[in-house]
Amino acid sequence: MRNVIIALVLLMATPVMAQESRRIVVSGHGVVETVPDMATISMGVVSEAKTAGDALAKNTDALAAVLKQLAEAGIESRDIQTNNLSLSPRWNNGGSMSKAAPEIRGFIANNTVSVRVRDLAQLGVVLDAVVQNGANSFHGLSFGLQDMAPAQNEARVAAIRDAMAKALLYATAAGVELGDVVSISDGAVRSARPVMMEADMMRSMAVPVAKGELSVTADVTVVFGIAD
């Protein structure tokens, strides 16, 4: 009786296992080119003085001037965030041949902030204004979208269409009929990398900045059945 039950289970499982193997698995990739409507700048102030207190005071005053200029340019406080604040000694090692012990010759204060600029028409003016008012370190510029959802969804739709086209191509080439979608796995959604600028580019009046287009990509994995 036990052998009969086992045989019946195997017979019932065989069609299921065969059905499970009748799959076409493809990946789809979608790309959407869109015009950015926001930029994020990473900039700051580096100050040096003989004492730690003086270095920090100089840095605070310089950064206050930068923040004031940003406010006058229409940048809201919610779009400004401190990324790094440090105070470190500047050592005099006396050169590689010197036997004298290293000594502190001063202090360096560094304050870095990230700034979101929502009006890209003012980006060049903002860059120039903050440099003229004390910002002397620049760590990069990236373009983005204030609302990523529409572009992300459009890229996902394009990825699905790409996957369906591939699956149909493979099914036709294999001489089988494409079946229904069995599963869809959502992959990564990415935007273009930040555009980096050298600090020297910021020293000219009304820095010219080309925003170009932003690429938003999406990837999916789709499993199709094979029709009987």
Side-chain angles (χ1 to χ4, degrees), residues 108-132:
I108 300 174
N110 183 15
N111 197 333
T112 303
V113 296
S114 62
V115 181
R116 287 183 295 193
V117 181
R118 299 179 186 271
D119 183 4
L120 291 184
Q122 298 297 316
L123 180 57
V125 176
V126 170
L127 287 171
D128 180 69
V130 294
V131 169
Q132 298 299 326

Side-chain angles (χ1 to χ4, degrees), residues 12 27 49 54-55 74 98 136 139 147 157 161 178 194 227:
M12 294 174 63
S27 60
D54 288 345
S98 175
N136 56 9
H139 305 284
D147 183 7
V157 170
R161 289 175 178 168
L178 189 66

